[in-house]
Amino acid sequence: MVADNVAIGVDLGGTKIAFVLLDRAGTVLAKHQVPTGAADGTNAVIDRIADGIQQLMGGSPIMGVGIGSPGHVNPATGVVHSATNLNWSDVPLVAELRKRLPADLPIILHNDTNAAVLGEMYFGAAQGVQDVVLIAVGTGVGAGAIIGGQIVLGANNFATDIGHLSLNPAGRQCACGLRGCGE
């Protein structure tokens, strides 16, 4: 039986949504994944996220849900402002999930690579390290950084959004609208 000392992690990607149920030590107790299906629309993707969370909850109490989303994310408001590979703009992801899940369930949203670097700091290769940078290559390119044990977000949560830095303003058109992005 699941106790209230477990949490659910969600990795929202351009091609798949991965779910994990884990305990405080980072031990994976259960996991599954589904195709993102971004072409089906924002509500369909949010429904898939809610369904996946409910599947792992199984009606038992959990500490909360952590979601890593690609793109420009505001952790304070729970909004995905721009996720190019999902074709999302200003999606209130946390608010929409609250409509589909138990109202008292804590939900935290971060950029996916920020969430990944935090995971490495707590459970992975960066345990005990105060300064670390993680670069992730998947459907897109992203980075996360921790300096002095604190996640680096920047003034507008763009500090490590390296996939959409224009490296060549005369370069190829990117899906984000800029030219010559690293992604």
Side-chain angles (χ1 to χ4, degrees), residues 14-79:
T15 57
K16 67 174 173 39
I17 307 168
F19 302 87
V20 64
L21 179 71
L22 68 158
D23 65 17
R24 287 181 182 266
T27 303
V28 174
L29 305 172
K31 61 183 175 178
H32 73 278
Q33 71 180 38
V34 297
T36 303
D40 296 337
T42 302
N43 282 325
V45 174
I46 295 171
D47 286 342
R48 286 184 192 104
I49 296 169
D51 291 346
I53 291 168
Q54 289 173 328
Q55 181 178 331
L56 284 182
M57 285 177 66
S60 298
I62 62 168
M63 292 174 16
V65 176
I67 302 171
S69 171
H72 178 214
V73 171
N74 186 327
T77 63
V79 174

Short mmCIF file of all heavy atoms in Angstrom, two decimals, residues 14-79:
data_model
loop_
_atom_site.label_atom_id
_atom_site.label_comp_id
_atom_site.label_asym_id
_atom_site.label_seq_id
_atom_site.Cartn_x
_atom_site.Cartn_y
_atom_site.Cartn_z
N GLY A 14 8.40 16.21 -25.53
CA GLY A 14 7.81 16.41 -26.84
C GLY A 14 7.24 15.14 -27.45
O GLY A 14 6.32 15.20 -28.27
N THR A 15 7.76 13.97 -27.04
CA THR A 15 7.28 12.71 -27.61
C THR A 15 6.64 11.78 -26.58
O THR A 15 5.82 10.95 -26.95
CB THR A 15 8.44 11.94 -28.29
OG1 THR A 15 9.48 11.73 -27.34
CG2 THR A 15 8.98 12.72 -29.47
N LYS A 16 7.01 11.93 -25.29
CA LYS A 16 6.45 11.04 -24.28
C LYS A 16 6.26 11.78 -22.96
O LYS A 16 6.91 12.78 -22.69
CB LYS A 16 7.33 9.82 -24.05
CG LYS A 16 8.67 10.15 -23.43
CD LYS A 16 9.44 8.89 -23.07
CE LYS A 16 10.84 9.14 -22.61
NZ LYS A 16 11.11 10.26 -21.76
N ILE A 17 5.35 11.23 -22.15
CA ILE A 17 5.16 11.69 -20.78
C ILE A 17 5.53 10.50 -19.90
O ILE A 17 4.91 9.43 -20.00
CB ILE A 17 3.72 12.11 -20.49
CG1 ILE A 17 3.24 13.13 -21.52
CG2 ILE A 17 3.60 12.67 -19.08
CD1 ILE A 17 1.73 13.38 -21.48
N ALA A 18 6.56 10.67 -19.07
CA ALA A 18 6.99 9.59 -18.18
C ALA A 18 6.56 9.90 -16.75
O ALA A 18 6.65 11.06 -16.30
CB ALA A 18 8.51 9.43 -18.25
N PHE A 19 6.10 8.88 -16.04
CA PHE A 19 5.62 9.02 -14.68
C PHE A 19 6.41 8.08 -13.77
O PHE A 19 6.72 6.96 -14.17
CB PHE A 19 4.14 8.62 -14.59
CG PHE A 19 3.24 9.41 -15.48
CD1 PHE A 19 3.03 9.01 -16.80
CD2 PHE A 19 2.59 10.54 -15.03
CE1 PHE A 19 2.19 9.73 -17.63
CE2 PHE A 19 1.75 11.26 -15.85
CZ PHE A 19 1.55 10.86 -17.16
N VAL A 20 6.69 8.53 -12.56
CA VAL A 20 7.40 7.69 -11.60
C VAL A 20 6.82 7.93 -10.21
O VAL A 20 6.51 9.05 -9.84
CB VAL A 20 8.93 7.96 -11.65
CG1 VAL A 20 9.25 9.38 -11.23
CG2 VAL A 20 9.69 6.97 -10.80
N LEU A 21 6.65 6.86 -9.48
CA LEU A 21 6.28 6.91 -8.07
C LEU A 21 7.53 6.58 -7.30
O LEU A 21 8.15 5.53 -7.54
CB LEU A 21 5.17 5.89 -7.76
CG LEU A 21 4.69 5.82 -6.31
CD1 LEU A 21 3.88 7.07 -5.97
CD2 LEU A 21 3.83 4.57 -6.10
N LEU A 22 7.97 7.48 -6.40
CA LEU A 22 9.21 7.23 -5.68
C LEU A 22 9.07 7.63 -4.23
O LEU A 22 8.20 8.42 -3.86
CB LEU A 22 10.37 7.98 -6.33
CG LEU A 22 10.40 9.49 -6.27
CD1 LEU A 22 11.82 9.98 -6.47
CD2 LEU A 22 9.51 10.08 -7.34
N ASP A 23 9.95 7.03 -3.41
CA ASP A 23 9.95 7.37 -1.99
C ASP A 23 10.98 8.46 -1.71
O ASP A 23 11.66 8.95 -2.61
CB ASP A 23 10.19 6.12 -1.14
CG ASP A 23 11.56 5.48 -1.32
OD1 ASP A 23 12.49 6.14 -1.85
OD2 ASP A 23 11.71 4.31 -0.92
N ARG A 24 11.09 8.85 -0.43
CA ARG A 24 11.99 9.95 -0.04
C ARG A 24 13.45 9.67 -0.36
O ARG A 24 14.23 10.60 -0.53
CB ARG A 24 11.85 10.23 1.45
CG ARG A 24 10.57 10.91 1.82
CD ARG A 24 10.54 11.16 3.34
NE ARG A 24 9.31 11.76 3.74
CZ ARG A 24 9.12 13.07 3.87
NH1 ARG A 24 10.09 13.90 3.61
NH2 ARG A 24 7.95 13.53 4.27
N ALA A 25 13.83 8.43 -0.46
CA ALA A 25 15.21 8.08 -0.78
C ALA A 25 15.47 8.05 -2.28
O ALA A 25 16.59 7.83 -2.72
CB ALA A 25 15.56 6.71 -0.18
N GLY A 26 14.43 8.27 -3.08
CA GLY A 26 14.57 8.24 -4.52
C GLY A 26 14.40 6.87 -5.13
O GLY A 26 14.64 6.68 -6.32
N THR A 27 13.96 5.91 -4.34
CA THR A 27 13.72 4.56 -4.85
C THR A 27 12.45 4.55 -5.69
O THR A 27 11.39 4.98 -5.24
CB THR A 27 13.57 3.55 -3.68
OG1 THR A 27 14.73 3.62 -2.87
CG2 THR A 27 13.37 2.14 -4.20
N VAL A 28 12.58 4.07 -6.91
CA VAL A 28 11.44 4.00 -7.82
C VAL A 28 10.57 2.82 -7.41
O VAL A 28 11.02 1.67 -7.37
CB VAL A 28 11.90 3.87 -9.28
CG1 VAL A 28 10.71 3.65 -10.20
CG2 VAL A 28 12.69 5.10 -9.69
N LEU A 29 9.30 3.11 -7.12
CA LEU A 29 8.35 2.08 -6.70
C LEU A 29 7.47 1.62 -7.86
O LEU A 29 7.00 0.49 -7.87
CB LEU A 29 7.49 2.61 -5.56
CG LEU A 29 8.26 3.14 -4.35
CD1 LEU A 29 7.33 3.81 -3.36
CD2 LEU A 29 9.05 2.02 -3.68
N ALA A 30 7.23 2.52 -8.79
CA ALA A 30 6.42 2.19 -9.97
C ALA A 30 6.68 3.26 -11.03
O ALA A 30 7.06 4.38 -10.69
CB ALA A 30 4.94 2.14 -9.63
N LYS A 31 6.47 2.88 -12.29
CA LYS A 31 6.64 3.87 -13.36
C LYS A 31 5.85 3.42 -14.58
O LYS A 31 5.53 2.25 -14.74
CB LYS A 31 8.11 4.06 -13.72
CG LYS A 31 8.81 2.82 -14.23
CD LYS A 31 10.28 3.11 -14.48
CE LYS A 31 11.00 1.84 -14.89
NZ LYS A 31 12.41 2.09 -15.19
N HIS A 32 5.55 4.40 -15.42
CA HIS A 32 4.95 4.11 -16.72
C HIS A 32 5.09 5.35 -17.60
O HIS A 32 5.48 6.41 -17.13
CB HIS A 32 3.49 3.64 -16.60
CG HIS A 32 2.52 4.71 -16.24
ND1 HIS A 32 2.31 5.13 -14.95
CD2 HIS A 32 1.68 5.45 -17.01
CE1 HIS A 32 1.40 6.07 -14.93
NE2 HIS A 32 0.99 6.29 -16.16
N GLN A 33 4.80 5.18 -18.88
CA GLN A 33 4.84 6.32 -19.78
C GLN A 33 3.79 6.17 -20.86
O GLN A 33 3.32 5.07 -21.14
CB GLN A 33 6.23 6.51 -20.38
CG GLN A 33 6.66 5.49 -21.39
CD GLN A 33 8.07 5.78 -21.91
OE1 GLN A 33 8.95 6.21 -21.18
NE2 GLN A 33 8.28 5.54 -23.19
N VAL A 34 3.43 7.33 -21.42
CA VAL A 34 2.45 7.37 -22.51
C VAL A 34 2.98 8.35 -23.56
O VAL A 34 3.77 9.23 -23.24
CB VAL A 34 1.05 7.82 -22.01
CG1 VAL A 34 0.48 6.83 -21.02
CG2 VAL A 34 1.10 9.22 -21.41
N PRO A 35 2.53 8.21 -24.80
CA PRO A 35 2.91 9.19 -25.82
C PRO A 35 2.32 10.56 -25.46
O PRO A 35 1.20 10.64 -24.95
CB PRO A 35 2.29 8.66 -27.11
CG PRO A 35 1.97 7.24 -26.84
CD PRO A 35 1.74 7.11 -25.37
N THR A 36 3.05 11.62 -25.73
CA THR A 36 2.55 12.97 -25.44
C THR A 36 1.36 13.30 -26.32
O THR A 36 0.35 13.81 -25.85
CB THR A 36 3.67 14.01 -25.65
OG1 THR A 36 4.77 13.66 -24.82
CG2 THR A 36 3.18 15.41 -25.30
N GLY A 37 1.48 13.04 -27.61
CA GLY A 37 0.38 13.33 -28.53
C GLY A 37 0.06 14.82 -28.59
O GLY A 37 -1.12 15.20 -28.57
N ALA A 38 1.08 15.65 -28.68
CA ALA A 38 0.88 17.10 -28.68
C ALA A 38 -0.06 17.55 -29.79
O ALA A 38 -0.80 18.53 -29.62
CB ALA A 38 2.22 17.82 -28.80
N ALA A 39 -0.07 16.85 -30.92
CA ALA A 39 -0.94 17.22 -32.03
C ALA A 39 -2.42 17.07 -31.67
O ALA A 39 -3.28 17.66 -32.33
CB ALA A 39 -0.63 16.36 -33.25
N ASP A 40 -2.73 16.33 -30.60
CA ASP A 40 -4.11 16.16 -30.16
C ASP A 40 -4.64 17.39 -29.42
O ASP A 40 -5.83 17.46 -29.11
CB ASP A 40 -4.25 14.94 -29.24
CG ASP A 40 -3.92 13.64 -29.94
OD1 ASP A 40 -4.00 13.60 -31.20
OD2 ASP A 40 -3.58 12.67 -29.25
N GLY A 41 -3.75 18.33 -29.08
CA GLY A 41 -4.16 19.55 -28.40
C GLY A 41 -3.77 19.57 -26.93
O GLY A 41 -3.50 18.54 -26.31
N THR A 42 -3.76 20.77 -26.39
CA THR A 42 -3.33 21.01 -25.01
C THR A 42 -4.17 20.24 -24.01
O THR A 42 -3.64 19.60 -23.10
CB THR A 42 -3.38 22.52 -24.71
OG1 THR A 42 -2.54 23.20 -25.65
CG2 THR A 42 -2.90 22.81 -23.30
N ASN A 43 -5.51 20.30 -24.14
CA ASN A 43 -6.37 19.61 -23.17
C ASN A 43 -6.16 18.11 -23.16
O ASN A 43 -6.19 17.48 -22.11
CB ASN A 43 -7.84 19.95 -23.42
CG ASN A 43 -8.19 21.33 -22.89
OD1 ASN A 43 -7.66 21.75 -21.87
ND2 ASN A 43 -9.06 22.02 -23.58
N ALA A 44 -5.92 17.52 -24.33
CA ALA A 44 -5.68 16.08 -24.40
C ALA A 44 -4.38 15.72 -23.66
O ALA A 44 -4.32 14.71 -22.96
CB ALA A 44 -5.62 15.61 -25.85
N VAL A 45 -3.35 16.55 -23.82
CA VAL A 45 -2.08 16.29 -23.13
C VAL A 45 -2.26 16.43 -21.62
O VAL A 45 -1.79 15.59 -20.84
CB VAL A 45 -0.96 17.21 -23.65
CG1 VAL A 45 0.32 17.05 -22.84
CG2 VAL A 45 -0.70 16.96 -25.13
N ILE A 46 -2.97 17.47 -21.20
CA ILE A 46 -3.20 17.66 -19.76
C ILE A 46 -4.04 16.51 -19.20
O ILE A 46 -3.78 16.03 -18.09
CB ILE A 46 -3.86 19.03 -19.49
CG1 ILE A 46 -2.88 20.15 -19.88
CG2 ILE A 46 -4.25 19.16 -18.02
CD1 ILE A 46 -3.49 21.55 -19.87
N ASP A 47 -5.01 16.03 -19.96
CA ASP A 47 -5.79 14.86 -19.53
C ASP A 47 -4.88 13.64 -19.35
O ASP A 47 -5.03 12.89 -18.38
CB ASP A 47 -6.89 14.53 -20.53
CG ASP A 47 -8.06 15.50 -20.50
OD1 ASP A 47 -8.21 16.24 -19.50
OD2 ASP A 47 -8.82 15.52 -21.49
N ARG A 48 -3.93 13.45 -20.27
CA ARG A 48 -3.00 12.32 -20.15
C ARG A 48 -2.14 12.45 -18.89
O ARG A 48 -1.85 11.46 -18.22
CB ARG A 48 -2.11 12.23 -21.39
CG ARG A 48 -2.83 11.70 -22.60
CD ARG A 48 -1.89 11.53 -23.80
NE ARG A 48 -2.71 11.30 -24.98
CZ ARG A 48 -2.95 12.21 -25.92
NH1 ARG A 48 -2.38 13.40 -25.87
NH2 ARG A 48 -3.73 11.93 -26.94
N ILE A 49 -1.71 13.67 -18.60
CA ILE A 49 -0.91 13.87 -17.39
C ILE A 49 -1.74 13.53 -16.16
O ILE A 49 -1.29 12.79 -15.27
CB ILE A 49 -0.39 15.33 -17.31
CG1 ILE A 49 0.57 15.62 -18.47
CG2 ILE A 49 0.30 15.58 -15.97
CD1 ILE A 49 0.92 17.10 -18.62
N ALA A 50 -2.96 14.06 -16.08
CA ALA A 50 -3.83 13.79 -14.93
C ALA A 50 -4.13 12.30 -14.79
O ALA A 50 -4.08 11.74 -13.69
CB ALA A 50 -5.12 14.58 -15.05
N ASP A 51 -4.41 11.63 -15.91
CA ASP A 51 -4.70 10.19 -15.87
C ASP A 51 -3.49 9.40 -15.38
O ASP A 51 -3.64 8.46 -14.58
CB ASP A 51 -5.10 9.69 -17.26
CG ASP A 51 -6.47 10.20 -17.71
OD1 ASP A 51 -7.23 10.72 -16.88
OD2 ASP A 51 -6.75 10.08 -18.93
N GLY A 52 -2.29 9.77 -15.84
CA GLY A 52 -1.09 9.08 -15.41
C GLY A 52 -0.82 9.26 -13.93
O GLY A 52 -0.40 8.32 -13.23
N ILE A 53 -1.06 10.46 -13.43
CA ILE A 53 -0.89 10.73 -11.98
C ILE A 53 -1.89 9.89 -11.19
O ILE A 53 -1.53 9.24 -10.20
CB ILE A 53 -1.05 12.23 -11.69
CG1 ILE A 53 0.13 13.00 -12.28
CG2 ILE A 53 -1.18 12.49 -10.19
CD1 ILE A 53 -0.05 14.52 -12.30
N GLN A 54 -3.15 9.89 -11.62
CA GLN A 54 -4.18 9.12 -10.91
C GLN A 54 -3.87 7.63 -10.92
O GLN A 54 -4.11 6.93 -9.94
CB GLN A 54 -5.55 9.41 -11.51
CG GLN A 54 -6.04 10.80 -11.18
CD GLN A 54 -7.32 11.16 -11.90
OE1 GLN A 54 -7.57 10.73 -13.02
NE2 GLN A 54 -8.13 11.98 -11.26
N GLN A 55 -3.32 7.14 -12.03
CA GLN A 55 -2.97 5.72 -12.12
C GLN A 55 -1.94 5.36 -11.05
O GLN A 55 -2.07 4.33 -10.38
CB GLN A 55 -2.42 5.40 -13.50
CG GLN A 55 -2.05 3.95 -13.68
CD GLN A 55 -1.54 3.65 -15.08
OE1 GLN A 55 -1.91 4.30 -16.05
NE2 GLN A 55 -0.67 2.66 -15.18
N LEU A 56 -0.91 6.21 -10.87
CA LEU A 56 0.11 5.91 -9.86
C LEU A 56 -0.39 6.14 -8.44
O LEU A 56 0.05 5.48 -7.51
CB LEU A 56 1.37 6.73 -10.11
CG LEU A 56 2.26 6.25 -11.24
CD1 LEU A 56 3.51 7.12 -11.36
CD2 LEU A 56 2.66 4.79 -11.08
N MET A 57 -1.30 7.10 -8.26
CA MET A 57 -1.85 7.34 -6.92
C MET A 57 -2.66 6.14 -6.45
O MET A 57 -2.58 5.77 -5.28
CB MET A 57 -2.75 8.59 -6.93
CG MET A 57 -2.01 9.89 -6.98
SD MET A 57 -3.12 11.31 -7.06
CE MET A 57 -3.94 11.23 -5.48
N GLY A 58 -3.44 5.58 -7.34
CA GLY A 58 -4.24 4.41 -6.98
C GLY A 58 -5.16 4.66 -5.80
O GLY A 58 -5.47 3.74 -5.06
N GLY A 59 -5.55 5.90 -5.57
CA GLY A 59 -6.44 6.21 -4.45
C GLY A 59 -5.74 6.35 -3.11
O GLY A 59 -6.37 6.57 -2.09
N SER A 60 -4.42 6.20 -3.08
CA SER A 60 -3.66 6.29 -1.83
C SER A 60 -3.06 7.69 -1.68
O SER A 60 -2.83 8.39 -2.67
CB SER A 60 -2.53 5.27 -1.82
OG SER A 60 -3.07 3.97 -1.88
N PRO A 61 -2.75 8.10 -0.46
CA PRO A 61 -2.18 9.43 -0.25
C PRO A 61 -0.73 9.52 -0.73
O PRO A 61 0.02 8.56 -0.62
CB PRO A 61 -2.25 9.62 1.27
CG PRO A 61 -2.28 8.24 1.82
CD PRO A 61 -2.97 7.38 0.79
N ILE A 62 -0.38 10.68 -1.27
CA ILE A 62 1.00 10.95 -1.67
C ILE A 62 1.37 12.35 -1.18
O ILE A 62 0.51 13.17 -0.88
CB ILE A 62 1.20 10.84 -3.20
CG1 ILE A 62 0.34 11.87 -3.94
CG2 ILE A 62 0.92 9.43 -3.69
CD1 ILE A 62 0.70 12.00 -5.40
N MET A 63 2.67 12.61 -1.11
CA MET A 63 3.15 13.92 -0.65
C MET A 63 2.86 15.01 -1.67
O MET A 63 2.62 16.15 -1.30
CB MET A 63 4.66 13.87 -0.39
CG MET A 63 5.03 13.03 0.79
SD MET A 63 6.80 12.80 1.07
CE MET A 63 7.61 14.03 0.13
N GLY A 64 2.95 14.67 -2.94
CA GLY A 64 2.72 15.67 -3.97
C GLY A 64 3.22 15.20 -5.31
O GLY A 64 3.68 14.06 -5.46
N VAL A 65 3.14 16.11 -6.28
CA VAL A 65 3.53 15.82 -7.65
C VAL A 65 4.52 16.89 -8.10
O VAL A 65 4.29 18.09 -7.90
CB VAL A 65 2.31 15.84 -8.59
CG1 VAL A 65 2.73 15.65 -10.05
CG2 VAL A 65 1.29 14.78 -8.18
N GLY A 66 5.61 16.45 -8.71
CA GLY A 66 6.56 17.36 -9.33
C GLY A 66 6.53 17.14 -10.83
O GLY A 66 6.61 16.00 -11.29
N ILE A 67 6.40 18.22 -11.59
CA ILE A 67 6.31 18.12 -13.05
C ILE A 67 7.45 18.90 -13.67
O ILE A 67 7.67 20.06 -13.33
CB ILE A 67 4.97 18.69 -13.56
CG1 ILE A 67 3.80 17.95 -12.92
CG2 ILE A 67 4.91 18.61 -15.09
CD1 ILE A 67 2.46 18.58 -13.20
N GLY A 68 8.15 18.26 -14.58
CA GLY A 68 9.17 18.92 -15.39
C GLY A 68 8.62 19.10 -16.79
O GLY A 68 8.25 18.12 -17.44
N SER A 69 8.54 20.35 -17.23
CA SER A 69 8.00 20.66 -18.56
C SER A 69 9.07 21.32 -19.40
O SER A 69 9.85 22.13 -18.89
CB SER A 69 6.81 21.62 -18.43
OG SER A 69 6.40 22.11 -19.70
N PRO A 70 9.08 21.03 -20.70
CA PRO A 70 10.01 21.75 -21.56
C PRO A 70 9.58 23.21 -21.70
O PRO A 70 8.42 23.55 -21.46
CB PRO A 70 9.90 21.01 -22.89
CG PRO A 70 8.53 20.44 -22.89
CD PRO A 70 8.24 20.10 -21.45
N GLY A 71 10.52 24.05 -22.09
CA GLY A 71 10.20 25.42 -22.44
C GLY A 71 10.33 26.41 -21.30
O GLY A 71 10.90 26.12 -20.25
N HIS A 72 9.78 27.57 -21.52
CA HIS A 72 9.81 28.66 -20.53
C HIS A 72 8.67 28.44 -19.55
O HIS A 72 7.49 28.51 -19.91
CB HIS A 72 9.67 30.01 -21.23
CG HIS A 72 9.65 31.16 -20.29
ND1 HIS A 72 8.91 32.27 -20.52
CD2 HIS A 72 10.29 31.37 -19.11
CE1 HIS A 72 9.08 33.13 -19.52
NE2 HIS A 72 9.91 32.59 -18.66
N VAL A 73 9.03 28.16 -18.31
CA VAL A 73 8.09 27.79 -17.26
C VAL A 73 8.25 28.77 -16.10
O VAL A 73 9.36 29.15 -15.75
CB VAL A 73 8.39 26.35 -16.77
CG1 VAL A 73 7.59 26.00 -15.55
CG2 VAL A 73 8.13 25.36 -17.89
N ASN A 74 7.14 29.16 -15.50
CA ASN A 74 7.19 29.98 -14.29
C ASN A 74 6.76 29.12 -13.11
O ASN A 74 5.57 28.83 -12.95
CB ASN A 74 6.27 31.20 -14.42
CG ASN A 74 6.41 32.15 -13.25
OD1 ASN A 74 6.65 31.73 -12.12
ND2 ASN A 74 6.25 33.43 -13.51
N PRO A 75 7.72 28.70 -12.28
CA PRO A 75 7.38 27.83 -11.15
C PRO A 75 6.44 28.51 -10.14
O PRO A 75 5.64 27.83 -9.50
CB PRO A 75 8.73 27.54 -10.49
CG PRO A 75 9.75 27.82 -11.54
CD PRO A 75 9.16 28.91 -12.39
N ALA A 76 6.51 29.82 -10.02
CA ALA A 76 5.68 30.53 -9.04
C ALA A 76 4.20 30.55 -9.45
O ALA A 76 3.32 30.46 -8.59
CB ALA A 76 6.18 31.96 -8.85
N THR A 77 3.92 30.64 -10.75
CA THR A 77 2.53 30.71 -11.20
C THR A 77 2.01 29.39 -11.75
O THR A 77 0.81 29.24 -11.94
CB THR A 77 2.38 31.78 -12.31
OG1 THR A 77 3.18 31.39 -13.44
CG2 THR A 77 2.80 33.15 -11.81
N GLY A 78 2.90 28.44 -12.03
CA GLY A 78 2.48 27.15 -12.59
C GLY A 78 2.10 27.23 -14.05
O GLY A 78 1.36 26.39 -14.55
N VAL A 79 2.63 28.24 -14.75
CA VAL A 79 2.29 28.46 -16.15
C VAL A 79 3.46 28.07 -17.05
O VAL A 79 4.60 28.43 -16.77
CB VAL A 79 1.90 29.93 -16.41
CG1 VAL A 79 1.69 30.21 -17.89
CG2 VAL A 79 0.65 30.29 -15.61
#
